[in-house]
Amino acid sequence: MKSMEEMIQAAQQAAETIQTQMNDMQAKLDGIEVEGQSGGGMVKVRASAKGRILGVTIDESLMKPEEKQMVEDLVTAAFNDARDKADRVSNEEMKKMQGGMGLPPGFNLPGMS
């Protein structure tokens, strides 16, 4: 049987490994790009899977003062579409990482749900 000191050391090493993997995952998610669209592609929002907005593209045909409210609504919809896609990609990547750790399905570590 292992001594208490050996078990504590093993737990600390496991925690450090998980922290390193979490940091690596965050960097990976920031490098994955998703695109949300609305208005049939007239408004596009690019974001990282981590949720950082990278850019907004608005079709020139929408650039009229009388279309301001509609453009604002389309930008909001495109942003929400990008955010949903980013969340899905992030969740998929986290599940892959958890599987690689040998954790049982449904087991949630703090910061991974």
Side-chain angles (χ1 to χ4, degrees), residues 13-27:
Q13 288 173 343
E16 289 173 9
T17 299
I18 290 170
Q19 184 62 49
T20 298
Q21 290 175 334
M22 287 296 294
N23 291 340
D24 292 347
M25 180 57 64
Q26 291 299 318

Side-chain angles (χ1 to χ4, degrees), residues 19-76:
Q19 184 62 49
T20 298
Q21 290 175 334
M22 287 296 294
N23 291 340
D24 292 347
M25 180 57 64
Q26 291 299 318
K28 180 178 180 180
L29 291 175
D30 203 40
I32 296 173
E33 191 174 307
V34 297
E35 181 178 84
Q37 298 185 25
S38 65
M42 294 178 77
V43 175
K44 298 176 184 176
V45 174
R46 290 181 307 111
S48 73
K50 195 174 173 182
R52 186 169 53 93
I53 301 302
L54 304 171
V56 176
T57 304
I58 300 172
D59 189 275
E60 287 183 22
S61 67
L62 296 174
M63 303 309 287
K64 300 174 188 168
E66 65 272 13
E67 302 293 336
K68 181 181 183 296
Q69 181 64 49
M70 182 182 64
V71 172
E72 289 170 348
D73 292 343
L74 289 171
V75 169
T76 300

